[in-house]
């Protein structure tokens, strides 16, 4: 069934609005008493209603929803207790000592309650030994599993049958999406996406790109929408730089990766050249370059910031004797080698697919 362009545009707008609405993304948290949302709301609500001191530390990796859950709790409680809650936000990078933090607390309180703010009053009224008390209560935010991530994607992308969109269009759209979610290709896409970053914020960025690739003639999502979105997210400046490297420069990167794979804690240009000769011997290639040419390639990699010196203590030492390290991952290097059609016989870094691959 072909959907008219207005229907596809409306569906795309609905999906984008969902992905940009943290309240919708995290709304299932409100429905269960065992979620961190419910626990945090109970703690803050009891502090407000019983006028007692309390504190809680939210722990979890970046992007797992700590800030979103906190904002949901504050939004709900400010609705329930409109005149009893003042929210003060501090940043440890900006407010690094007690005096600075106290002044910022006073400034925000005065701003919210339309009071005049005097810069030295707040900290002068406190005794020197007054310290904040912490109750050592913690809430742990664990990373989402692959099943949880897929369920989140389904909830965000599936269209409601009771929406203003045509029923037959919604049925076909959801059927196509269910088929995609059940395919092995989608499983591979999901694994690739979450291997690098499984945070909720990264998932939302990915889905927003998926929706942007929607086929506007049919108004449906396809597997290509997901593969194109993944490809666009995996493009990085370092990957672009790797595509422009010479064969010799790729050899040097491979040799450095091999040294790190052997858990060699420190190595320099001379160590790399020794490994380079062993690669040539092992694969019986004729890609042999003079040491001076190799050193110029080595310097070019330093200039492009794909490698760097491991410390700054040896500035008076000749560059070929200074320890160096890679600034790219094994996966990035392996992907670059596979995409390079002119690459000669060279060993792909170990640990990518559990075995060496010869290009």
């Amino acid at each position: 069934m072909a959907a008219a362009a207005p229907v596809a545009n409306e569906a795309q707008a609905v999906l984008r609005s969902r992905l940009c609405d943290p309240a919708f993304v995290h709304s299932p948290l409100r429905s269960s008493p065992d979620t961190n949302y419910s626990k945090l709301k109970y703690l803050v609500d009891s502090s407000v209603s019983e006028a007692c001191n309390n504190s809680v530390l939210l722990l979890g990796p970046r992007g797992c929803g700590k800030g979103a859950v906190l904002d949901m709790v504050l939004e709900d409680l400010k609705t329930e207790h409109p005149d009893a809650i003042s929210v003060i936000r501090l940043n440890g990078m900006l407010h690094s000592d007690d005096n600075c933090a106290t002044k910022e607390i006073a400034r925000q309180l005065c701003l919210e309650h339309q009071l005049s703010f005097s810069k030295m009053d707040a900290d002068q009224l406190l005794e020197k030994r007054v310290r904040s008390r912490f109750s050592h209560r913690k809430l742990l935010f664990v990373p989402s599993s692959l099943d949880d991530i897929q369920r989140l994607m389904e909830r965000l992308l599936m269209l409601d049958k009771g929406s203003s969109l045509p029923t037959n269009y919604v049925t076909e759209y959801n059927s196509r999406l269910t088929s995609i979610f059940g395919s092995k290709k989608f499983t591979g896409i999901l694994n690739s996406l979450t291997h690098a970053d499984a945070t909720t914020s990264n998932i939302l960025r990915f889905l927003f790109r998926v929706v942007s690739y929607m086929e506007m003639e049919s108004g449906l999502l396809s597997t290509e929408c997901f593969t194109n979105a993944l490809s666009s997210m995996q493009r990085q400046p370092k990957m672009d730089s790797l595509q422009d490297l010479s064969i010799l420069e790729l050899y040097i990167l491979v040799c450095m990766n091999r040294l790190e794979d052997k858990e060699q804690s420190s190595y320099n240009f001379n160590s790399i050249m020794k490994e380079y000769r062993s690669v040539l011997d092992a694969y019986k290639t004729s890609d042999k370059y003079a040491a001076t040419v190799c050193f110029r390639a080595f310097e070019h990699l330093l200039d492009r910031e794909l490698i760097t010196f491991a410390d700054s203590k040896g500035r008076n030492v000749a560059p070929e004797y200074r320890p160096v390290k890679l600034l790219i991952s094994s996966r990035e290097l392996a992907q670059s080698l596979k995409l390079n059609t002119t690459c000669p016989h060279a060993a792909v870094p170990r640990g990518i697919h559990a075995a060496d691959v010869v290009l």
Side-chain angles (χ1 to χ4, degrees):
M1 177 208 67
V7 175
N9 288 330
E10 183 180 352
Q12 197 174 54
V14 169
L15 295 173
R16 284 174 172 168
S17 65
R18 287 180 179 179
L19 298 173
C20 294
D21 183 5
F24 182 89
V25 173
H26 299 282
S27 58
L29 297 175
R30 285 190 170 102
S31 61
S32 172
D34 296 326
T35 63
N36 282 334
Y37 163 83
S38 300
K39 296 174 183 177
L40 182 60
K41 184 179 179 182
Y42 172 78
L43 290 174
V44 180
D45 186 45
S46 62
S47 298
V48 175
S49 59
E50 299 174 14
C52 61
N53 292 330
N54 221 330
S55 59
V56 60
L57 180 63
L58 308 186
L59 298 175
R62 178 181 61 85
C64 66
K66 302 185 297 296
V69 168
L70 176 60
D71 288 339
M72 287 171 59
V73 168
L74 293 177
E75 180 182 352
D76 290 350
L77 290 179
K78 288 177 75 173
T79 302
E80 298 172 13
H81 308 281
D83 301 321
I85 294 180
S86 293
V87 179
I88 305 299
R89 298 183 183 272
L90 300 179
N91 187 317
M93 301 295 292
L94 300 176
H95 314 111
S96 55
D97 57 57
D98 293 343
N99 285 343
C100 180
T102 302
K103 291 175 184 177
E104 181 60 18
I105 291 172
R107 188 193 68 80
Q108 291 188 35
L109 283 173
C110 290
L111 184 64
E112 181 171 345
H113 297 285
Q114 293 81 46
L115 302 175
S116 59
F117 172 64
S118 177
K119 292 185 178 180
M120 299 313 289
D121 288 349
D123 59 318
Q124 288 182 354
L125 291 175
L126 293 177
E127 296 181 5
K128 293 183 179 179
R129 294 186 292 176
V130 172
R131 297 180 180 178
S132 60
R133 289 176 289 178
F134 182 57
S135 64
H136 301 286
R137 184 179 285 108
K138 301 176 183 179
L139 287 181
L140 179 62
F141 287 70
V142 298
S144 301
S145 65
L146 286 178
D147 289 339
D148 290 336
I149 291 174
Q150 182 161 338
R151 281 193 291 270
L152 173 64
M153 289 185 173
E154 292 173 357
R155 190 175 65 83
L156 292 174
L157 294 183
M158 288 288 190
L159 294 175
D160 298 328
K161 293 184 177 180
S163 68
S164 60
L165 295 167
T167 303
N168 55 346
Y169 164 73
V170 172
T171 300
E172 183 176 355
Y173 170 91
N174 288 342
S175 177
R176 172 79 70 90
L177 201 57
T178 300
S179 177
I180 293 173
F181 285 143
S183 67
K184 291 184 178 179
K185 192 166 186 178
F186 175 79
T187 302
I189 293 172
L190 188 59
N191 284 328
S192 298
L193 175 69
T194 56
H195 177 81
D197 188 350
T199 61
T200 303
S201 55
N202 189 56
I203 300 301
L204 294 176
R205 285 193 296 269
F206 170 72
L207 293 182
F208 198 91
R209 296 187 186 214
V210 170
V211 173
S212 297
Y213 283 113
M214 175 184 282
E215 299 170 355
M216 300 309 293
E217 291 185 2
S218 65
L220 303 176
L221 293 176
S222 64
T223 304
E224 285 69 29
C225 297
F226 291 86
T227 56
N228 291 337
L230 179 63
S231 178
S232 67
M233 292 190 68
Q234 289 178 332
R235 287 189 59 84
Q236 300 175 1
K238 285 185 180 179
M239 291 301 298
D240 293 336
S241 296
L242 285 168
Q243 297 309 304
D244 298 331
L245 295 182
S246 67
I247 299 303
L248 176 57
E249 289 164 346
L250 288 173
Y251 263 121
I252 292 175
L253 293 177
V254 167
C255 291
M256 292 178 67
N257 192 90
R258 286 166 64 93
L259 290 172
E260 293 189 358
D261 190 51
K262 295 175 182 178
E263 298 184 353
Q264 187 163 332
S265 58
S266 178
Y267 57 89
N268 54 29
F269 175 74
N270 291 332
S271 307
I272 296 169
M273 287 298 96
K274 183 178 179 180
E275 186 68 22
Y276 171 58
R277 289 189 291 271
S278 71
V279 169
L280 296 182
D281 293 340
Y283 291 96
K284 308 298 181 183
T285 68
S286 59
D287 303 299
K288 188 174 183 179
Y289 298 87
T292 54
V293 178
C294 292
F295 188 71
R296 285 199 297 270
F298 175 78
E299 289 181 315
H300 186 235
L301 292 173
L302 286 169
D303 291 339
R304 303 196 75 167
E305 298 184 347
L306 294 173
I307 67 174
T308 187
F309 291 115
D311 58 53
S312 58
K313 299 179 181 179
R315 292 180 179 176
N316 297 325
V317 180
E320 58 266 33
Y321 296 106
R322 292 183 63 181
V324 290
K325 62 180 180 180
L326 277 170
L327 294 179
I328 59 174
S329 67
S330 297
R331 181 172 292 274
E332 289 172 324
L333 179 56
Q335 185 176 355
S336 174
L337 291 171
K338 292 177 181 179
L339 294 175
N340 194 316
T341 57
T342 63
C343 193
H345 292 282
V348 173
R350 296 184 182 184
I352 302 303
H353 296 295
D356 283 348
V357 180
V358 178
L359 297 182

